[in-house]
Amino acid sequence: MYIGRFAPSPTGPLHFGSLITAVASYCDAKANHGKWLVRIEDLDLPRTIKGAADTILRQLEAFGLVWDDKVVYQSQRHAYYEQALQQLQTQHLIYPCTCTRKEVADASDQRGVDGIIYPRTCLNHPLKSNAPQAWRVKTEQEVIQFKDLVQGHIQQNIGLEVGDFILKRADNLFSYQLAVVVDDALQGVTHIVRGADLLDSTPRQMYLQHALQYTVPHYAHIPIATNSKGEKLSKQTHAKPIEAQYANDLLYDALSFLQQHPPVALKIAPINEILHWATCYWHLNQVRHQQAICYQM
Ligand code: GLU
C-alpha cells in the first residue's frame, strides 16, 4: 500500500512553490492508488501564523486536493517525539548540550551543509550548570546513500558534513528532523515527494530512521520553483498566495512545471477533470532531475 503525504508548515498561505509540492505528492499517491495524507507542521510555534493552517486546508480544497484520513497537527504530538527521544537515550545515542549558538560559533569555524559542525564540547566536557539543555544525536563518519526517485544517487557523510545535530532545542521545541521522522513512521508513510531544498536533510532523517528501527520510505525530491533572481518562492521572497479563482491556470502551470505536458484544452476544464487527467497521465520520471527551476510568472 502506498501512503504519501503533504506536510506544509503554517507560516503563511500556500503559494505557487508549495502548490507544486502538493500537486506532485497528490498525483504520485493517486497514480499509485495510494492514500494522500496532510500533516500540518506547526511545531515551531513562534514561526506559526495564526489561521494559516486553516487557510492552507481551504486552499487545498479549492484546488480539488482532497486528503485521506484526518489532518494531523504536529503541535499535538509531543508525546510521540518524547518517546522517540527516550528510545535514543536508552541506546546512548543522544547527549545533552548547554552551548548557546554564539558559543558554538565561537568554538568552531567548520561549516557543514547546514551551518557549523558542532565541536562536541558538551560530549567531552562538563555541562554548564543551571543552563537550559538541548539534546543532540551523536553522528558517525558514515556515508548515507540512497537512490532518490527524481534526483538519482545521493550520498552524504553525516559525521563530516553535518555533525551532531539537535533533536530537542534548549527552549524545549522538538526539531523538524526528529518530528518528521517520527510522524512519517507512525503514519506509515511509504513515499515522500517534497521539494529538493530538503534533500540535504534526508540523510539525517535516514540516520534517525535506522537508529529508531523504522522502515525507510522512498524519497522523490522535486525541483523547487525560484524567481528570476534564483531565490526560492516563499513568503520571504513575496510569493503571492494561490487564489481559487485562478485554480485552473495554476494547476495547469504546476503540471507544466513538473513536465507532465498537460494538453492546452485542459486549461478551461473543471479542476476535478484537470486532476483526473493529471493522475491518469502522471509520470514521476518526466520531472526534471534538477534541484531548482526558475518559474516566470
Ligand atoms: N514542513 C516542511 C516545509 O513546509 C516540509 C517537510 C517535509 O516535507 O518533510 O518545508
Side-chain angles (χ1 to χ4, degrees):
M1 173 72 181
Y2 179 121
I3 301 184
R5 49 69 155 183
F6 175 56
S9 304
T11 52
L14 297 179
H15 49 76
F16 185 71
S18 26
L19 177 68
I20 292 169
T21 312
V23 168
S25 56
Y26 175 89
C27 289
D28 202 56
K30 294 298 155 185
N32 287 288
H33 311 289
K35 278 191 180 183
W36 185 65
L37 309 180
V38 171
R39 180 171 72 231
I40 300 290
E41 302 213 320
D42 56 351
L43 260 193
D44 193 348
L45 280 180
R47 284 187 58 225
T48 297
I49 305 278
K50 211 167 172 277
D54 282 342
T55 306
I56 290 172
L57 296 177
R58 298 297 82 79
Q59 285 175 303
L60 290 174
E61 281 171 342
F63 279 72
L65 299 164
V66 180
W67 53 89
D68 298 298
D69 298 352
K70 259 176 69 177
V71 174
V72 158
Y73 291 81
Q74 287 193 324
S75 56
Q76 296 167 8
R77 298 171 62 82
H78 287 221
Y80 297 117
Y81 312 140
E82 194 58 54
Q83 224 169 25
L85 199 71
Q86 274 170 22
Q87 186 180 334
L88 295 170
Q89 188 174 14
T90 316
Q91 296 171 255
H92 307 289
L93 286 174
I94 58 171
Y95 61 94
C97 169
T98 52
C99 293
T100 60
R101 255 176 224 264
K102 182 166 184 324
E103 283 163 344
V104 176
D106 291 347
S108 170
D109 52 11
Q110 249 193 302
R111 292 195 78 83
V113 295
D114 195 14
I116 293 168
I117 296 182
Y118 183 61
R120 294 198 148 172
T121 322
C122 289
L123 186 63
N124 301 319
H125 302 280
L127 298 175
K128 280 185 287 174
S129 50
N130 297 324
Q133 290 185 353
W135 286 89
R136 289 184 184 269
V137 63
K138 278 186 231 168
T139 54
E140 304 294 333
Q141 297 225 354
E142 168 186 333
V143 176
I144 298 204
Q145 44 190 331
F146 64 101
K147 190 176 175 301
D148 186 85
L149 297 173
V150 173
Q151 305 291 337
H153 181 259
I154 302 291
Q155 67 173 49
Q156 188 183 74
N157 184 319
I158 189 110
L160 275 184
E161 297 179 58
V162 180
D164 298 352
F165 54 99
I166 288 187
L167 299 187
K168 190 178 187 185
R169 295 180 357 187
D171 59 4
N172 278 325
L173 283 187
F174 289 98
S175 74
Y176 156 68
Q177 307 293 356
L178 179 69
V180 80
V181 162
V182 171
D183 286 339
D184 285 333
L186 296 191
Q187 293 188 278
V189 171
T190 59
H191 289 72
I192 296 179
V193 178
R194 62 182 179 191
D197 53 330
L198 290 164
L199 199 50
D200 276 348
S201 288
T202 308
R204 259 171 282 178
Q205 295 173 14
M206 289 183 167
Y207 187 77
L208 293 177
Q209 285 154 356
H210 291 307
L212 291 161
Q213 288 108 43
Y214 292 158
T215 308
V216 176
H218 299 281
Y219 286 91
H221 288 85
I222 56 169
I224 55 159
T226 68
N227 61 21
S228 56
K229 290 190 226 148
E231 299 161 329
K232 180 186 170 189
L233 300 188
S234 68
K235 210 176 67 177
Q236 286 74 24
T237 57
H238 312 294
K240 285 193 308 251
I242 48 167
E243 287 178 46
Q245 52 174 321
Y246 305 121
N248 295 47
D249 283 340
L250 288 166
L251 280 174
Y252 182 91
D253 284 359
L255 292 167
S256 301
F257 181 94
L258 292 162
Q259 296 291 313
Q260 300 302 303
H261 311 299
V264 181
L266 216 54
K267 268 197 181 193
I268 49 165
I271 50 168
N272 55 354
E273 265 177 44
I274 304 182
L275 288 175
H276 181 70
W277 181 91
T279 50
C280 288
Y281 294 100
W282 174 251
H283 291 292
L284 185 63
N285 58 8
Q286 282 174 199
V287 177
R288 286 214 187 121
H289 309 180
Q290 274 170 255
Q291 295 197 18
I293 299 175
C294 177
Y295 171 70
Q296 304 286 3
M297 301 212 212

